[in-house]
Structure formats: structure tokens, C-alpha cells
């Protein structure tokens, strides 16, 4: 169960990616995020923040970025991320938030549990 929580956290934080908004129901789920970002777990658990994340982690982040096409998708990711962050207080949010840029993915808003998900577009 602890590994699932880590996956959900990673997936949620990555789902905060911004793409051209369209008004539809969210297609991205917390499960989708967990699957896409599972390869990032080892890096987050053991990583010191030095070096690049594993290739599978970056592939998952790019995949999730492509999947989060709408505002509802990005807002869902935000909500999942906040829930996961609360469940895993020992996760280094700074390291987690650095992964997108290390993978060449732009997330132009703050990856933080205090983010108001209703303002994510």
C-alpha cells in the first residue's frame, strides 16, 4: 500500500502539466497517473536530486503531459497530488517538483499542496 501511495503522489504531481485547455470531463485519473509515474518512485525515494531521473520516469511524465489535455484533467491531477502529498509527509516535494524540468517538461504553475486546484487551467 505504501508503494501505491508513492506512485499516486508522483503521478499526481506530474499530472499538473498544462496543455491547451478544452472544456470536457476529466479523462486522466489517479490510477492513470500512478501507472505513468511508477518509474519515478525509486528516484524520489533514494534520489538526492543529483543527476537525471531514469528514462522510464521521463517517458511517464511526457506521456502524462500528453494525456492531460484539458483543464478538468489538470485539475484532477492537482487534486490527486494534494491527497497523495498529505498521505506521504516524508516525500521531498522540492525533488518531486524538479523532475518535470529535468525531463524537459514545462509545468508553469506551482507544484505544492497549497495550490488551489480550481485555479489550474
Amino acid at each position: 500500500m505504501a508503494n501505491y501511495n508513492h506512485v499516486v503522489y508522483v503521478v499526481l504531481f506530474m499530472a499538473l502539466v498544462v496543455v491547451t485547455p478544452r472544456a470536457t470531463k476529466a479523462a486522466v485519473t489517479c490510477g492513470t497517473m500512478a501507472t505513468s509515474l511508477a518509474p519515478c518512485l525509486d528516484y524520489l525515494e533514494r534520489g538526492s536530486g543529483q543527476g537525471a531521473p531514469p528514462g522510464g520516469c521521463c517517458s511517464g511524465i511526457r506521456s502524462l503531459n500528453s494525456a492531460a489535455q484539458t483543464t478538468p484533467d489538470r485539475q484532477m491531477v492537482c487534486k490527486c497530488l494534494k491527497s497523495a502529498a498529505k498521505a506521504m509527509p516524508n516525500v521531498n516535494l522540492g525533488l518531486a517538483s524538479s523532475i518535470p524540468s529535468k525531463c524537459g517538461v514545462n509545468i508553469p504553475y506551482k507544484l505544492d499542496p497549497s495550490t488551489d486546484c480550481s485555479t489550474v487551467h
Side-chain angles (χ1 to χ4, degrees):
M1 188 74 161
N3 284 340
Y4 177 76
N5 286 337
H6 289 293
V7 171
V8 170
Y9 173 76
V10 173
V11 172
L12 293 176
F13 114 78
M14 296 313 298
L16 289 174
V17 292
V18 198
V19 191
T20 305
R22 290 178 280 168
T24 61
K25 291 179 79 176
V28 176
T29 66
C30 292
T32 302
M33 291 180 284
T35 300
S36 295
L37 299 177
C40 299
L41 286 179
D42 195 47
Y43 179 78
L44 285 174
E45 291 175 347
R46 299 183 216 199
S48 64
Q50 303 298 315
C57 175
C58 289
S59 293
I61 289 170
R62 284 190 288 275
S63 173
L64 191 56
N65 185 37
S66 294
Q69 294 290 310
T70 66
T71 295
D73 288 337
R74 292 184 294 277
Q75 289 176 346
M76 175 60 72
V77 171
C78 178
K79 291 174 186 176
C80 292
L81 173 60
K82 288 177 74 166
S83 294
K86 289 178 185 175
M88 298 181 305
N90 294 329
V91 170
N92 181 336
L93 294 176
L95 178 57
S97 67
S98 73
I99 292 176
S101 64
K102 289 181 177 182
C103 292
V105 176
N106 182 32
I107 301 175
Y109 46 86
K110 191 175 182 180
L111 297 177
D112 188 277
S114 67
T115 298
D116 179 356
C117 296
S118 69
T119 64
V120 173
H121 298 284

